Amino acid sequence: QVQLVESGGGLVQAGGSLRLSCAASGRTFSSYIMGWFRQAPGKEREFVAKISASGVFTTYATYADSVKGRFTISRDNAKKTVYLQMNSLKPEDTAVYYCNRIRDGTTIPIDNWGQGTQVTVSS
């Protein structure tokens, strides 16, 4: 099991920005496909974004339609950390955000969930 610790959430106004961080404990972090999920009150947890393992060429990112053009996922393998840069935030982005390893070719999480980090966007 990989331990996951999310941070960086907070309260922002609509149109603002936040950068979330996810620190992972795995010894082979660079080989992990990592992703972000979120869960709003009264709703199921949903996929937000994922980033491929670091290969010889480049990483590849995938986003949910609801965040395309606004969110950017990135990773720093030396720090064993994945980031989610969130711009042009909307009230509907309000949720608890979680990171996780993701099964290859899917949006299915692998590890136990961490505590998440709360993002609240006011109108």
Side-chain angles (χ1 to χ4, degrees), residues 25-117:
S25 66
R27 291 179 294 171
T28 56
F29 175 81
S30 63
S31 70
Y32 300 158
I33 302 167
M34 297 295 299
W36 287 94
F37 301 78
R38 67 186 182 185
Q39 186 168 27
K43 296 184 178 180
E44 294 187 342
R45 204 190 315 264
E46 65 176 350
F47 167 79
V48 175
K50 67 176 181 178
I51 188 166
S52 68
S54 297
V56 66
F57 297 106
T58 187
T59 56
Y60 182 79
T62 301
Y63 301 93
D65 288 341
S66 59
V67 306
K68 284 181 179 177
R70 300 188 298 120
F71 291 10
T72 302
I73 188 171
S74 62
R75 65 193 299 155
D76 185 334
N77 293 327
K79 296 181 179 179
K80 296 182 179 180
T81 300
V82 62
Y83 303 97
L84 186 68
Q85 178 66 47
M86 305 184 296
N87 299 324
S88 302
L89 283 163
K90 304 175 181 179
E92 51 262 46
D93 295 318
T94 295
V96 178
Y97 284 71
Y98 304 86
C99 65
N100 214 313
R101 287 193 292 166
I102 292 179
R103 185 182 295 273
D104 193 9
T106 75
T107 57
I108 299 173
I110 294 175
D111 298 303
N112 293 331
W113 299 105
Q115 294 300 304
T117 186

Side-chain angles (χ1 to χ4, degrees), residues 5-34:
V5 180
E6 300 92 345
S7 62
L11 173 64
V12 298
Q13 292 184 312
S17 298
L18 283 173
R19 189 178 75 157
L20 307 184
S21 298
C22 169
S25 66
R27 291 179 294 171
T28 56
F29 175 81
S30 63
S31 70
Y32 300 158
I33 302 167
M34 297 295 299

